[in-house]
Amino acid sequence: MAAKLMQRCYRLFGVSSPLCIHTNAMCVGSRMVLSRAPSQIPLASLRVPSFTERTEKPSAHEQEYRGPFKYEELEGVIGSAVTAEELLHLRALHPVNANQAALIITRLSRVVVEQKLEPGSILEDARFQQLLQTVHTEISQVWNTTLVSLLKSLSRLGLERRKLDSVEQEVRWRLKRLPFKQLASLAEHLATGTRGGEPSELLSELLKQLELRWTEIEDTRTVVVLITKVGAFSPALMDRLEEKALELAEQFGPEDTRRIAMALAFQNRRSVPLLRALSYHLVQKHFTLSTNVLLDVAFAFGKLNFHQTQVFQKIASDLHPRVTDMTYWDVVRCLKSFAFLKWVNLPLFEAFAQYTVDNGNRFDPVPLSNVVLAFARLNFQPSCAEAFFGTIHERLDGHLDALDPYLLVDLVWSLCVLQQVKAFHLQKVLAPELYTRFLGDQSPKGHNYRLKLIHINTTARLESAGYNGPFLLWEALGLKELQGERKVTPLQSSLKETLEGVAGEEDKVRFAVDTVFGWQLDAEMVLNADNQALPIADFEAPHLLQSLGSKPLPPGARRLAFLRWEFPNFSNRSKDLLGRFAMARRHLQEAGFLLVDVPYYEWLDLKSEWQKAAFLRDRMNKAVAEEMAK
């Protein structure tokens, strides 16, 4: 601008000066670079024209420099070029400075991607090397925006790392001067190219700048991109981004909400305030949500164990009319997400069960097994149970040998929960050649599967009439090492304290009883025919791995098992036990115990020790009365 203003002044006063000539020449070459003009202008060169003389006539020097392309014109040619050859040939037709060379390289990268060309031949082209040399020689003259685009383009073309060093170094020098959006764009590019491991030096410096300047974020796109692509590399930056996302949550659309929820899930960041804000606006704005958005939000909330009933109801109500149009993988994804959330919507689950019956032939064994696992976790029995389980057995029974051993154990265990297991399934998993591979696994996962095998063994012994084996070895039924260390809950400690008072004497109650059935009793008592507690250690205990007593129970005596049920043992917003715990009750009843259930929602309402003791005595009397009424 200053150069053009000086040129007009010289025209006005009719001055022909080297400054005018030199300035005009530099303006044609580049917008950025202004050469230093001579500091002294000879007075003799200044001539005041008469007012009748025309002053707008171009000088000879101006006409001389009208020939080369102006910057805008060359930029237009670069942008309109559609082939790599056109772009590479531009340097031969027009003088090109460093900034224009960078623009050509950036456009080349885009053409290579759009036309799916092989970048190797372009990198080896002598004309490309000349463009690259021009950039390296005058890199300080490249504009900021063009420099960022150049770095991204060169890395996309696969240029050698050592040839990128000068460009990266220039970017480092300018980091503090770059606008925030350019920092975010470059960080997104570098993070996308980093597949695990430590971030590069440039990305590390970018992350520091983003952490310092996060308040400059003004739009939702930037915060969404940074959370989804960059946040995983810096927990400190992610904390700031979550604050900014909370501030902008009202402006998020459905796709923004989906991407942020998925990013939080993959990074395992359970940001409750942000999740609550996303849930609120998702429900209140009445968006029309696509199936993918619904399924991804359900997955993210399930992985983060975040419960928001209104969102679940919206997902269920929106998905229900679309069930017939969903793929079987979408059905499985939704079922698994709701199983993690321990949430059942009866109309939706009935629709999924009917979908499985109608499309059973489309399901592969693995996804079909996952449907069974989800139903078992929630203890959901569909109204079309006969047709549903008929489809399950028809599609899976012939493919058990092809399943992974861990999935096979999960499947048979789930069928035990749903009371749909057959002798054929039991024989598969209780065969020594299969279960022995789990015995030596001392990992938490191995312990979990050994515990499931004990539950399957219990089902075979107590609930499968006519099953003759094989069974697990008696020595494999111990629970001590499988349970691990568990934190004592307030309900557990309160129940123990109250039971000690109800029993009266220490030897008349036994706590934390590990049974050979795979279940731990919170407490056990033996009552005689008059409902008086007896010394429990005196009597034989077939439910223990090693029984201390040898006396048989006296006539009319009964064995009571006390079971506490904590909040996580129930379905979400329900008093229905999850499948695992419903099976535990069945097994213990089949083993001859009278069950005294102590659910958290009743126990927490009892304020005094007298009320708690009265509650337990009343439950004990009811259990005995129900047994006598049979």
Side-chain angles (χ1 to χ4, degrees):
M1 292 294 294
K4 289 183 178 179
L5 180 61
M6 292 171 65
Q7 183 177 337
R8 286 184 173 274
C9 289
Y10 281 123
R11 286 185 197 170
L12 180 64
F13 290 102
V15 177
S16 297
S17 169
L19 176 62
C20 182
I21 300 170
H22 191 68
T23 303
N24 191 33
M26 294 305 296
C27 282
V28 173
S30 171
R31 287 184 186 177
M32 287 186 59
V33 183
L34 297 176
S35 294
R36 292 184 180 178
S39 58
Q40 299 294 329
I41 302 176
L43 294 176
S45 65
L46 294 174
R47 178 174 60 85
V48 180
S50 67
F51 288 102
T52 60
E53 184 179 349
R54 292 175 62 98
T55 59
E56 292 301 322
K57 182 178 179 180
S59 67
H61 292 289
E62 289 180 62
Q63 293 177 354
E64 177 184 348
Y65 285 99
R66 284 283 177 90
F69 267 39
K70 292 183 179 179
Y71 179 84
E72 293 87 348
E73 296 174 354
L74 184 56
E75 182 181 12
V77 172
I78 295 171
S80 62
V82 294
T83 66
E85 186 61 32
E86 288 181 55
L87 291 165
L88 291 171
H89 195 55
L90 279 177
R91 192 176 185 278
L93 299 177
H94 312 288
V96 173
N97 62 26
N99 192 69
Q100 292 163 341
L103 285 173
I104 293 173
I105 294 174
T106 302
R107 179 60 185 163
L108 264 174
S109 170
R110 194 169 302 157
V111 168
V112 167
V113 173
E114 290 173 353
Q115 300 181 10
K116 300 180 181 179
L117 303 177
E118 178 57 43
S121 59
I122 294 176
L123 293 175
E124 296 172 1
D125 194 298
R127 294 169 293 180
F128 179 84
Q129 295 297 328
Q130 291 172 352
L131 290 170
L132 204 57
Q133 183 62 34
T134 302
V135 170
H136 288 322
T137 304
E138 304 173 6
I139 195 167
S140 61
Q141 298 183 19
V142 180
W143 300 1
N144 289 341
T145 303
T146 310
L147 183 66
V148 172
S149 300
L150 174 67
L151 180 58
K152 294 191 289 186
S153 299
L154 290 175
S155 63
R156 287 194 195 102
L157 288 171
L159 191 67
E160 293 179 16
R161 181 72 191 173
R162 61 185 178 83
K163 294 184 179 180
L164 283 173
D165 288 344
S166 64
V167 182
E168 285 196 2
Q169 188 61 42
E170 185 69 21
V171 171
R172 284 197 187 94
W173 288 338
R174 301 192 197 181
L175 276 183
K176 293 183 179 179
R177 302 195 303 273
L178 290 177
F180 189 89
K181 284 191 175 182
Q182 291 182 5
L183 292 178
S185 173
L186 184 55
E188 177 192 2
H189 171 75
L190 294 176
T192 303
T194 304
R195 302 296 181 186
E198 293 296 322
S200 63
E201 293 182 9
L202 179 57
L203 180 56
S204 298
E205 294 184 28
L206 271 170
L207 293 173
K208 292 177 184 177
Q209 288 296 318
L210 293 172
E211 289 174 26
L212 293 173
R213 297 170 57 183
W214 67 276
T215 54
E216 296 179 30
I217 300 175
E218 297 177 349
D219 61 307
T220 58
R221 184 189 179 281
T222 302
V223 72
V224 170
V225 166
L226 290 177
I227 286 177
T228 55
K229 300 292 182 64
V230 184
F233 292 95
S234 173
L237 174 61
M238 193 65 182
D239 291 338
R240 304 291 185 269
L241 294 174
E242 287 176 3
E243 291 183 33
K244 181 57 72 171
L246 191 59
E247 177 185 330
L248 300 175
E250 188 176 0
Q251 302 176 31
F252 290 149
E255 184 62 21
D256 296 330
T257 300
R258 182 195 71 82
R259 294 180 65 187
I260 290 178
M262 291 292 284
L264 294 175
F266 286 130
Q267 297 176 39
N268 202 27
R269 293 183 65 95
R270 194 173 184 271
S271 177
V272 174
L274 180 54
L275 290 171
R276 284 176 176 168
L278 295 177
S279 302
Y280 175 81
H281 294 295
L282 198 64
V283 172
Q284 294 298 319
K285 291 185 178 180
H286 304 289
F287 290 122
T288 300
L289 304 180
S290 67
T291 302
N292 284 337
V293 170
L294 294 169
L295 294 176
D296 284 347
V297 169
F299 166 81
F301 282 20
K303 192 171 188 303
L304 296 171
N305 194 28
F306 180 75
H307 297 266
Q308 221 297 330
T309 304
Q310 287 181 309
V311 174
F312 301 162
Q313 289 173 343
K314 179 175 180 59
I315 293 172
S317 61
D318 286 0
L319 280 181
H320 186 259
R322 309 181 197 176
V323 169
T324 54
D325 300 324
M326 294 169 64
T327 67
Y328 69 84
W329 274 114
D330 288 342
V331 170
V332 173
R333 282 187 64 203
C334 188
L335 279 173
K336 291 177 69 175
S337 299
F338 282 147
F340 278 120
L341 292 165
K342 299 184 290 188
W343 192 77
V344 178
N345 179 274
L346 291 179
L348 182 63
F349 274 60
E350 289 287 357
F352 284 154
Q354 189 59 49
Y355 179 95
T356 306
V357 173
D358 297 339
N359 301 276
N361 293 332
R362 300 182 186 178
F363 281 82
D364 294 328
V366 172
L368 194 57
S369 299
N370 281 309
V371 172
V372 179
L373 267 57
F375 280 16
R377 175 174 169 81
L378 298 169
N379 197 30
F380 176 72
Q381 295 281 354
S383 58
C384 57
E386 185 176 351
F388 174 78
F389 289 110
T391 302
I392 296 296
H393 291 306
E394 179 184 348
R395 293 289 299 156
L396 290 180
D397 286 355
H399 298 87
L400 297 183
D401 292 333
L403 295 179
D404 177 80
Y406 291 97
L407 180 57
L408 178 60
V409 172
D410 282 333
L411 174 62
V412 175
W413 183 86
S414 299
L415 291 173
C416 291
V417 171
L418 297 169
Q419 296 179 279
Q420 296 294 329
V421 72
K422 295 182 178 180
F424 172 74
H425 306 128
L426 299 172
Q427 290 169 347
K428 279 287 182 184
V429 296
L430 296 178
E433 56 269 19
L434 187 138
Y435 79 75
T436 50
R437 72 174 62 187
F438 295 99
L439 296 181
D441 190 349
Q442 298 303 317
S443 66
K445 179 180 178 181
H447 287 173
N448 181 48
Y449 279 90
R450 285 172 62 186
L451 193 57
K452 286 187 175 182
L453 284 171
I454 297 175
H455 297 161
I456 294 171
N457 187 73
T458 301
T459 300
R461 288 189 176 277
L462 301 179
E463 294 186 325
S464 301
Y467 178 75
N468 298 318
F471 297 99
L472 295 182
L473 297 176
W474 187 260
E475 294 77 13
L477 303 181
L479 289 186
K480 283 294 183 185
E481 62 176 5
L482 304 182
Q483 297 285 356
E485 293 295 329
R486 294 185 178 181
K487 185 178 179 180
V488 177
T489 67
L491 173 56
Q492 185 178 4
S493 58
S494 177
L495 176 61
K496 180 178 180 181
E497 183 180 347
T498 305
L499 264 177
E500 288 173 344
V502 171
E505 298 178 20
E506 186 177 346
D507 62 344
K508 292 182 179 179
V509 62
R510 181 159 46 200
F511 295 101
V513 183
D514 293 325
T515 69
V516 295
F517 309 123
W519 309 109
Q520 185 183 72
L521 311 180
D522 288 284
E524 177 190 4
M525 292 179 67
V526 173
L527 303 183
N528 61 17
D530 297 326
N531 287 346
Q532 300 297 317
L534 301 176
I536 195 168
D538 295 343
F539 303 103
E540 60 183 5
H543 58 283
L544 301 181
L545 194 62
Q546 293 180 342
S547 178
L548 301 178
S550 57
K551 296 180 181 179
L553 289 180
R558 302 173 181 85
R559 206 180 284 273
L560 271 64
F562 294 82
L563 302 175
R564 63 184 166 84
W565 302 118
E566 306 274 4
F567 177 80
N569 303 148
F570 295 89
S571 295
N572 190 20
R573 303 261 178 167
S574 170
K575 295 181 180 179
D576 297 326
L577 286 170
L578 295 174
R580 181 189 190 95
F581 308 105
M583 181 166 67
R585 292 189 82 260
R586 290 202 320 266
H587 283 175
L588 294 174
Q589 284 179 323
E590 290 291 336
F593 286 95
L594 302 186
L595 302 185
V596 179
D597 296 305
V598 185
Y600 77 95
Y601 53 83
E602 294 185 359
W603 187 261
L604 295 180
D605 289 338
L606 307 174
K607 303 304 180 184
S608 66
E609 289 300 319
W610 177 86
Q611 288 178 317
K612 294 175 182 177
F615 173 85
L616 289 178
R617 291 191 180 95
D618 180 61
R619 285 300 174 93
M620 293 165 62
N621 291 332
K622 284 184 177 179
V624 172
E626 288 175 0
E627 173 65 19
M628 294 177 64
K630 291 182 180 178

